[in-house]
Amino acid sequence: MVESFIYELRANDIKEKDIKNIMEIVKNRLSEENVDAELVKLGYQKVFTVDYDSYDEFYNYDLDDES
């Protein structure tokens, strides 16, 4: 399971030293949310989770508008 997290982080151009640090920090509580929280702390975008509330605000979708 750890390998799949590392693979995805590498695929998203996260620096190797940051991957190593993140994996050390979350080693006993490995989850998508915890890895993303550490990524954000380091200034990266989330890789594993999506905040749909801010996503909707950013794109300003109004699904009720039928015009």
Side-chain angles (χ1 to χ4, degrees):
M1 182 171 181
V2 172
E3 293 83 13
S4 62
F5 277 90
I6 293 171
Y7 175 83
E8 194 65 36
L9 292 169
R10 286 178 177 155
N12 281 277
D13 296 323
I14 308 302
K15 295 178 184 175
E16 285 295 322
K17 69 178 183 122
D18 291 335
I19 293 173
K20 183 177 178 180
N21 290 336
I22 290 168
M23 298 313 288
E24 181 65 28
I25 291 168
V26 301
K27 66 182 174 188
N28 294 326
R29 53 186 182 88
L30 184 62
S31 72
E32 294 171 341
E33 292 82 8
N34 290 338
V35 173
D36 275 350
E38 295 302 322
L39 286 169
V40 170
K41 288 179 187 177
L42 294 173
Y44 293 103
Q45 296 290 321
K46 293 179 180 181
V47 171
F48 299 101
T49 60
V50 176
D51 182 4
Y52 287 105
D53 290 335
S54 65
Y55 186 77
D56 287 343
E57 289 174 13
F58 180 75
Y59 288 102
N60 197 18
Y61 290 122
D62 187 1
L63 300 177
D64 295 330
D65 186 17
E66 295 185 21
S67 48

